[in-house]
Amino acid sequence: MDLLKETINREVKKRKSQYERAKDSDATHKKYVRVVDLDNASTPDAELSSLKPTASTHAAANASAKSPKIADTQCVSDVADKPLQLASSEVVKRLRARGEPTRLFGETDHARHARLRTLELSEEKRDGQQNEFHRVLAQVEEGAMLSDLKRQAQMSDDSDTKRQHKLAALMAFDVSDISPSLLRTDVDRVYSLLYVYFKRLLYEWDDYLGLRGDDERRSADGKMAAATQRQSAEYLRPLFRSLKSRTLQADVLARITEIARHMLDREYMHANDAYLQLSIGNAPWPVGVTQVGIHSRASRETINANKVAHVLNNETQRKWIQSIKRLIRFAQTKYPPTDLAKMAG
Protein backbone atom coordinates (compact mmCIF):
# COMPACT_ATOMS: atom_id res chain seq x y z
CA MET A 1 0.00 0.00 0.00
CA ASP A 2 2.92 2.39 0.69
CA LEU A 3 4.27 1.79 -2.80
CA LEU A 4 0.88 2.60 -4.31
CA LYS A 5 0.61 5.85 -2.33
CA GLU A 6 4.10 6.84 -3.44
CA THR A 7 3.21 6.28 -7.08
CA ILE A 8 0.03 8.36 -6.74
CA ASN A 9 1.93 11.22 -5.07
CA ARG A 10 4.46 11.25 -7.90
CA GLU A 11 1.69 11.45 -10.47
CA VAL A 12 0.04 14.33 -8.61
CA LYS A 13 3.33 16.28 -8.39
CA LYS A 14 3.92 15.75 -12.10
CA ARG A 15 0.47 17.07 -12.96
CA LYS A 16 0.95 20.14 -10.76
CA SER A 17 4.31 20.94 -12.37
CA GLN A 18 2.82 20.62 -15.84
CA TYR A 19 -0.03 22.90 -14.84
CA GLU A 20 2.36 25.56 -13.51
CA ARG A 21 4.48 25.47 -16.70
CA ALA A 22 1.44 25.75 -18.94
CA LYS A 23 0.08 28.66 -16.90
CA ASP A 24 3.42 30.54 -16.97
CA SER A 25 3.85 30.06 -20.72
CA ASP A 26 0.42 31.53 -21.43
CA ALA A 27 0.61 35.35 -21.77
CA THR A 28 -3.13 35.87 -21.28
CA HIS A 29 -3.05 34.32 -17.77
CA LYS A 30 -6.37 32.50 -18.15
CA LYS A 31 -8.09 30.87 -15.21
CA TYR A 32 -8.09 27.51 -17.00
CA VAL A 33 -5.53 25.39 -18.85
CA ARG A 34 -6.22 23.28 -21.92
CA VAL A 35 -5.12 19.66 -22.29
CA VAL A 36 -3.05 20.60 -25.33
CA ASP A 37 -1.14 23.12 -23.23
CA LEU A 38 -0.50 20.45 -20.60
CA ASP A 39 0.88 18.09 -23.25
CA ASN A 40 3.12 20.82 -24.67
CA ALA A 41 4.40 21.69 -21.23
CA SER A 42 5.20 18.07 -20.33
CA THR A 43 8.54 17.22 -18.86
CA PRO A 44 11.41 15.81 -20.93
CA ASP A 45 11.66 12.08 -21.60
CA ALA A 46 14.45 11.56 -19.10
CA GLU A 47 12.41 13.11 -16.33
CA LEU A 48 9.31 11.18 -17.35
CA SER A 49 11.24 7.89 -17.30
CA SER A 50 12.33 8.60 -13.74
CA LEU A 51 8.79 9.45 -12.67
CA LYS A 52 7.02 6.76 -14.71
CA PRO A 53 6.35 3.59 -12.66
CA THR A 54 7.87 0.42 -14.06
CA ALA A 55 6.07 -2.86 -14.80
CA SER A 56 7.44 -4.43 -11.63
CA THR A 57 6.04 -1.47 -9.67
CA HIS A 58 2.56 -2.11 -11.09
CA ALA A 59 2.82 -5.84 -10.37
CA ALA A 60 3.88 -5.16 -6.80
CA ALA A 61 1.11 -2.61 -6.35
CA ASN A 62 -1.51 -5.05 -7.64
CA ALA A 63 -0.14 -7.82 -5.46
CA SER A 64 -0.16 -5.59 -2.40
CA ALA A 65 -3.69 -4.48 -3.14
CA LYS A 66 -4.90 -8.10 -3.42
CA SER A 67 -2.97 -9.42 -0.44
CA PRO A 68 -2.00 -7.07 2.40
CA LYS A 69 0.63 -9.56 3.55
CA ILE A 70 2.82 -8.93 0.46
CA ALA A 71 4.83 -5.78 1.05
CA ASP A 72 7.30 -5.77 -1.84
CA THR A 73 7.85 -7.25 -5.29
CA GLN A 74 10.24 -9.95 -4.12
CA CYS A 75 7.38 -12.38 -3.33
CA VAL A 76 6.04 -12.05 -6.89
CA SER A 77 9.44 -12.73 -8.38
CA ASP A 78 9.88 -15.77 -6.12
CA VAL A 79 6.69 -17.32 -7.50
CA ALA A 80 7.80 -16.65 -11.07
CA ASP A 81 11.19 -18.26 -10.43
CA LYS A 82 9.66 -21.65 -9.53
CA PRO A 83 10.19 -24.30 -12.26
CA LEU A 84 7.20 -25.45 -14.29
CA GLN A 85 5.97 -29.01 -13.81
CA LEU A 86 4.99 -29.39 -17.49
CA ALA A 87 6.71 -28.33 -20.68
CA SER A 88 5.23 -25.45 -22.63
CA SER A 89 4.34 -27.72 -25.55
CA GLU A 90 2.43 -30.08 -23.23
CA VAL A 91 0.55 -27.17 -21.66
CA VAL A 92 -0.43 -25.88 -25.11
CA LYS A 93 -1.54 -29.37 -26.16
CA ARG A 94 -3.77 -29.84 -23.12
CA LEU A 95 -5.31 -26.38 -23.43
CA ARG A 96 -6.14 -26.98 -27.09
CA ALA A 97 -7.70 -30.34 -26.26
CA ARG A 98 -10.07 -28.53 -23.90
CA GLY A 99 -10.92 -25.79 -26.39
CA GLU A 100 -9.19 -23.11 -24.33
CA PRO A 101 -6.91 -20.33 -25.66
CA THR A 102 -3.25 -21.25 -25.51
CA ARG A 103 -2.29 -17.89 -24.04
CA LEU A 104 -4.28 -14.94 -22.77
CA PHE A 105 -3.22 -11.32 -23.24
CA GLY A 106 -0.27 -10.56 -20.98
CA GLU A 107 -0.27 -14.09 -19.52
CA THR A 108 3.03 -15.58 -18.38
CA ASP A 109 4.02 -19.24 -18.55
CA HIS A 110 3.40 -19.70 -14.84
CA ALA A 111 -0.04 -18.10 -15.06
CA ARG A 112 -0.90 -20.31 -18.03
CA HIS A 113 0.21 -23.40 -16.12
CA ALA A 114 -1.94 -22.36 -13.15
CA ARG A 115 -4.95 -21.85 -15.45
CA LEU A 116 -4.50 -25.35 -16.88
CA ARG A 117 -4.30 -26.82 -13.39
CA THR A 118 -7.53 -25.05 -12.40
CA LEU A 119 -9.30 -26.48 -15.46
CA GLU A 120 -8.10 -29.99 -14.67
CA LEU A 121 -9.29 -29.76 -11.08
CA SER A 122 -12.73 -28.55 -12.16
CA GLU A 123 -12.97 -31.45 -14.63
CA GLU A 124 -12.12 -33.94 -11.90
CA LYS A 125 -14.89 -32.57 -9.70
CA ARG A 126 -17.42 -32.75 -12.54
CA ASP A 127 -16.39 -36.29 -13.44
CA GLY A 128 -16.91 -37.45 -9.89
CA GLN A 129 -20.41 -36.01 -9.72
CA GLN A 130 -21.75 -37.19 -13.08
CA ASN A 131 -23.98 -40.25 -13.46
CA GLU A 132 -22.06 -43.39 -14.43
CA PHE A 133 -24.99 -44.76 -16.43
CA HIS A 134 -25.11 -41.61 -18.57
CA ARG A 135 -21.41 -42.06 -19.34
CA VAL A 136 -21.96 -45.67 -20.42
CA LEU A 137 -24.98 -44.61 -22.48
CA ALA A 138 -22.85 -42.08 -24.33
CA GLN A 139 -20.27 -44.80 -25.04
CA VAL A 140 -23.02 -47.04 -26.42
CA GLU A 141 -24.21 -44.31 -28.78
CA GLU A 142 -20.66 -43.72 -30.02
CA GLY A 143 -20.18 -47.46 -30.56
CA ALA A 144 -23.45 -47.72 -32.48
CA MET A 145 -22.44 -44.88 -34.78
CA LEU A 146 -19.05 -46.48 -35.39
CA SER A 147 -20.59 -49.86 -36.19
CA ASP A 148 -23.02 -48.24 -38.64
CA LEU A 149 -20.15 -46.54 -40.42
CA LYS A 150 -18.23 -49.81 -40.65
CA ARG A 151 -21.30 -51.56 -42.01
CA GLN A 152 -21.80 -48.88 -44.65
CA ALA A 153 -18.15 -49.05 -45.65
CA GLN A 154 -18.32 -52.89 -45.67
CA MET A 155 -15.44 -53.15 -43.24
CA SER A 156 -14.88 -56.28 -41.16
CA ASP A 157 -14.97 -55.88 -37.40
CA ASP A 158 -12.23 -57.89 -35.70
CA SER A 159 -13.76 -57.40 -32.25
CA ASP A 160 -16.93 -59.30 -33.23
CA THR A 161 -14.86 -62.18 -34.59
CA LYS A 162 -12.78 -62.40 -31.41
CA ARG A 163 -15.92 -62.28 -29.28
CA GLN A 164 -17.46 -65.15 -31.25
CA HIS A 165 -14.33 -67.25 -30.78
CA LYS A 166 -14.33 -66.59 -27.03
CA LEU A 167 -18.00 -67.49 -26.76
CA ALA A 168 -17.42 -70.74 -28.68
CA ALA A 169 -14.57 -71.62 -26.33
CA LEU A 170 -16.70 -70.92 -23.27
CA MET A 171 -19.63 -72.94 -24.62
CA ALA A 172 -17.36 -75.97 -24.85
CA PHE A 173 -17.14 -76.16 -21.06
CA ASP A 174 -19.64 -78.25 -19.12
CA VAL A 175 -20.87 -76.19 -16.16
CA SER A 176 -23.66 -78.54 -15.12
CA ASP A 177 -21.55 -79.80 -12.19
CA ILE A 178 -21.95 -76.54 -10.25
CA SER A 179 -23.55 -77.43 -6.93
CA PRO A 180 -23.08 -76.88 -3.18
CA SER A 181 -21.96 -80.51 -2.86
CA LEU A 182 -19.08 -79.92 -5.31
CA LEU A 183 -18.14 -76.88 -3.25
CA ARG A 184 -17.47 -79.14 -0.27
CA THR A 185 -15.31 -81.55 -2.26
CA ASP A 186 -13.50 -79.46 -4.92
CA VAL A 187 -13.42 -75.72 -4.32
CA ASP A 188 -10.99 -74.95 -7.14
CA ARG A 189 -13.25 -76.55 -9.72
CA VAL A 190 -16.19 -74.49 -8.45
CA TYR A 191 -14.16 -71.30 -8.90
CA SER A 192 -13.36 -72.23 -12.50
CA LEU A 193 -16.91 -73.26 -13.38
CA LEU A 194 -18.42 -70.12 -11.89
CA TYR A 195 -16.00 -67.98 -13.88
CA VAL A 196 -16.90 -69.75 -17.11
CA TYR A 197 -20.65 -69.70 -16.45
CA PHE A 198 -21.00 -65.99 -15.66
CA LYS A 199 -18.54 -65.03 -18.40
CA ARG A 200 -20.56 -67.04 -20.89
CA LEU A 201 -23.78 -65.39 -19.80
CA LEU A 202 -22.24 -61.98 -20.44
CA TYR A 203 -21.21 -62.93 -23.99
CA GLU A 204 -24.61 -64.47 -24.66
CA TRP A 205 -26.27 -61.28 -23.43
CA ASP A 206 -24.14 -59.23 -25.80
CA ASP A 207 -24.99 -61.49 -28.76
CA TYR A 208 -28.67 -61.43 -27.82
CA LEU A 209 -28.68 -57.64 -27.99
CA GLY A 210 -26.73 -57.69 -31.25
CA LEU A 211 -29.43 -59.77 -32.99
CA ARG A 212 -32.00 -57.00 -32.65
CA GLY A 213 -33.11 -54.92 -35.59
CA ASP A 214 -31.70 -51.49 -36.35
CA ASP A 215 -34.87 -49.70 -35.28
CA GLU A 216 -34.94 -51.48 -31.94
CA ARG A 217 -31.24 -50.88 -31.30
CA ARG A 218 -31.56 -47.16 -32.04
CA SER A 219 -34.63 -46.70 -29.86
CA ALA A 220 -34.39 -45.35 -26.31
CA ASP A 221 -35.17 -48.75 -24.77
CA GLY A 222 -32.61 -50.43 -26.99
CA LYS A 223 -29.89 -48.01 -25.98
CA MET A 224 -30.78 -48.44 -22.32
CA ALA A 225 -30.55 -52.24 -22.62
CA ALA A 226 -27.14 -52.04 -24.32
CA ALA A 227 -25.87 -49.59 -21.69
CA THR A 228 -27.09 -51.90 -18.92
CA GLN A 229 -25.19 -54.84 -20.44
CA ARG A 230 -21.99 -52.83 -20.81
CA GLN A 231 -22.23 -51.44 -17.29
CA SER A 232 -22.80 -54.93 -15.88
CA ALA A 233 -19.70 -56.18 -17.72
CA GLU A 234 -17.65 -53.43 -16.07
CA TYR A 235 -19.13 -54.08 -12.64
CA LEU A 236 -18.43 -57.83 -12.83
CA ARG A 237 -14.69 -57.43 -13.43
CA PRO A 238 -13.84 -57.44 -9.67
CA LEU A 239 -15.84 -60.65 -9.29
CA PHE A 240 -13.95 -62.31 -12.16
CA ARG A 241 -10.65 -61.23 -10.65
CA SER A 242 -11.66 -62.74 -7.31
CA LEU A 243 -12.73 -65.98 -9.01
CA LYS A 244 -9.41 -66.17 -10.86
CA SER A 245 -7.36 -65.53 -7.75
CA ARG A 246 -9.72 -67.68 -5.60
CA THR A 247 -10.02 -65.03 -2.92
CA LEU A 248 -13.79 -64.89 -2.38
CA GLN A 249 -15.16 -65.25 1.11
CA ALA A 250 -16.55 -68.69 1.91
CA ASP A 251 -20.11 -67.51 2.60
CA VAL A 252 -20.17 -65.34 -0.53
CA LEU A 253 -18.88 -68.20 -2.66
CA ALA A 254 -21.55 -70.51 -1.25
CA ARG A 255 -24.34 -68.06 -2.10
CA ILE A 256 -23.02 -67.50 -5.64
CA THR A 257 -22.80 -71.26 -6.16
CA GLU A 258 -26.39 -71.62 -5.00
CA ILE A 259 -27.52 -68.88 -7.38
CA ALA A 260 -25.73 -70.50 -10.34
CA ARG A 261 -27.20 -73.93 -9.52
CA HIS A 262 -30.76 -72.55 -9.46
CA MET A 263 -30.16 -70.66 -12.71
CA LEU A 264 -28.97 -73.86 -14.40
CA ASP A 265 -32.10 -75.65 -13.13
CA ARG A 266 -34.21 -72.66 -14.35
CA GLU A 267 -35.50 -72.17 -10.82
CA TYR A 268 -35.30 -68.42 -11.05
CA MET A 269 -37.52 -67.80 -8.04
CA HIS A 270 -35.11 -69.74 -5.82
CA ALA A 271 -32.18 -67.98 -7.50
CA ASN A 272 -33.74 -64.65 -6.60
CA ASP A 273 -34.17 -65.79 -2.99
CA ALA A 274 -30.49 -66.76 -2.86
CA TYR A 275 -29.62 -63.35 -4.33
CA LEU A 276 -31.57 -61.65 -1.53
CA GLN A 277 -29.70 -63.76 1.01
CA LEU A 278 -26.43 -62.66 -0.56
CA SER A 279 -27.31 -58.98 -0.82
CA ILE A 280 -29.23 -58.09 2.33
CA GLY A 281 -29.33 -61.34 4.33
CA ASN A 282 -31.82 -62.19 7.06
CA ALA A 283 -29.76 -61.60 10.19
CA PRO A 284 -31.34 -59.56 12.98
CA TRP A 285 -29.85 -56.11 13.33
CA PRO A 286 -29.02 -55.57 17.01
CA VAL A 287 -29.91 -52.16 18.35
CA GLY A 288 -28.30 -50.98 21.55
CA VAL A 289 -26.42 -53.28 23.92
CA THR A 290 -25.86 -56.81 22.60
CA GLN A 291 -24.49 -58.27 25.83
CA VAL A 292 -25.06 -57.21 29.43
CA GLY A 293 -23.02 -58.69 32.24
CA ILE A 294 -21.97 -62.33 32.03
CA HIS A 295 -25.14 -63.54 30.30
CA SER A 296 -25.41 -63.46 26.52
CA ARG A 297 -28.33 -61.82 24.82
CA ALA A 298 -31.14 -64.01 23.50
CA SER A 299 -30.65 -65.12 19.83
CA ARG A 300 -27.09 -63.82 19.95
CA GLU A 301 -25.87 -66.90 18.09
CA THR A 302 -27.99 -66.00 15.04
CA ILE A 303 -25.82 -62.94 14.37
CA ASN A 304 -23.03 -64.77 12.53
CA ALA A 305 -20.88 -64.25 9.49
CA ASN A 306 -22.96 -66.15 6.91
CA LYS A 307 -25.94 -63.84 7.40
CA VAL A 308 -24.18 -60.53 6.91
CA ALA A 309 -25.61 -58.05 4.41
CA HIS A 310 -22.73 -58.16 1.92
CA VAL A 311 -24.19 -55.44 -0.27
CA LEU A 312 -23.36 -52.99 2.50
CA ASN A 313 -19.68 -53.96 2.73
CA ASN A 314 -18.33 -51.68 0.01
CA GLU A 315 -19.39 -50.02 -3.21
CA THR A 316 -17.48 -52.38 -5.51
CA GLN A 317 -19.11 -55.45 -4.02
CA ARG A 318 -22.53 -53.83 -4.24
CA LYS A 319 -22.06 -53.24 -7.97
CA TRP A 320 -21.19 -56.79 -8.95
CA ILE A 321 -23.89 -58.24 -6.71
CA GLN A 322 -26.40 -56.01 -8.50
CA SER A 323 -24.99 -57.22 -11.84
CA ILE A 324 -25.65 -60.84 -10.81
CA LYS A 325 -29.30 -59.86 -10.42
CA ARG A 326 -29.26 -58.51 -13.99
CA LEU A 327 -27.79 -61.81 -15.21
CA ILE A 328 -30.66 -63.66 -13.52
CA ARG A 329 -33.14 -61.50 -15.43
CA PHE A 330 -31.38 -62.14 -18.72
CA ALA A 331 -31.13 -65.89 -18.08
CA GLN A 332 -34.86 -66.22 -17.54
CA THR A 333 -35.40 -64.30 -20.79
CA LYS A 334 -32.97 -66.42 -22.82
CA TYR A 335 -33.80 -69.71 -21.07
CA PRO A 336 -37.39 -69.42 -19.80
CA PRO A 337 -38.70 -72.14 -17.43
CA THR A 338 -41.46 -74.52 -18.35
CA ASP A 339 -43.54 -73.26 -15.43
CA LEU A 340 -44.06 -69.48 -15.37
CA ALA A 341 -44.42 -69.62 -11.56
CA LYS A 342 -40.67 -70.27 -11.38
CA MET A 343 -39.82 -66.88 -12.89
CA ALA A 344 -38.63 -64.05 -10.68
CA GLY A 345 -40.34 -60.68 -10.79
Side-chain angles (χ1 to χ4, degrees), residues 6 13 28 30 117 152 175 247:
E6 183 181 354
K13 290 180 181 179
T28 57
K30 295 180 181 179
R117 182 56 182 162
Q152 293 176 2
V175 295
T247 56

Side-chain angles (χ1 to χ4, degrees), residues 62-75:
N62 294 332
S64 60
K66 292 180 180 179
S67 177
K69 297 180 181 180
I70 301 177
D72 52 2
T73 60
Q74 187 177 0
C75 296

Side-chain angles (χ1 to χ4, degrees), residues 195-252:
Y195 178 86
V196 172
Y197 179 63
F198 288 117
K199 201 75 170 179
R200 188 172 69 183
L201 276 179
L202 272 179
Y203 281 112
E204 288 180 352
W205 192 2
D206 192 11
D207 285 347
Y208 179 80
L209 296 177
L211 295 176
R212 300 173 298 171
D214 293 339
D215 295 337
E216 186 178 358
R217 285 192 296 107
R218 294 173 182 173
S219 63
D221 293 338
K223 292 178 181 178
M224 292 281 287
T228 302
Q229 190 275 338
R230 179 171 296 189
Q231 188 183 47
S232 300
E234 292 181 0
Y235 286 173
L236 284 170
R237 288 177 183 174
L239 173 63
F240 291 140
R241 286 196 296 266
S242 300
L243 290 174
K244 272 187 174 182
S245 59
R246 292 168 171 78
T247 56
L248 274 180
Q249 302 176 14
D251 53 336
V252 176

Side-chain angles (χ1 to χ4, degrees), residues 27-97:
T28 57
H29 299 286
K30 295 180 181 179
K31 294 182 179 181
Y32 58 88
V33 177
R34 296 181 300 174
V35 179
V36 179
D37 297 335
L38 286 176
D39 294 336
N40 295 333
S42 60
T43 57
D45 296 336
E47 187 178 356
L48 281 176
S49 61
S50 63
L51 294 176
K52 185 176 180 180
T54 60
S56 61
T57 305
H58 281 299
N62 294 332
S64 60
K66 292 180 180 179
S67 177
K69 297 180 181 180
I70 301 177
D72 52 2
T73 60
Q74 187 177 0
C75 296
V76 179
S77 61
D78 292 341
V79 175
D81 291 339
K82 290 183 178 180
L84 295 175
Q85 298 178 358
L86 296 175
S88 298
S89 59
E90 181 66 21
V91 174
V92 171
K93 181 180 178 181
R94 294 189 182 185
L95 287 174
R96 285 177 178 171

Side-chain angles (χ1 to χ4, degrees), residues 284-290 297 303:
W285 290 36
V287 178
V289 181
T290 58
R297 178 182 172 181
I303 309 175

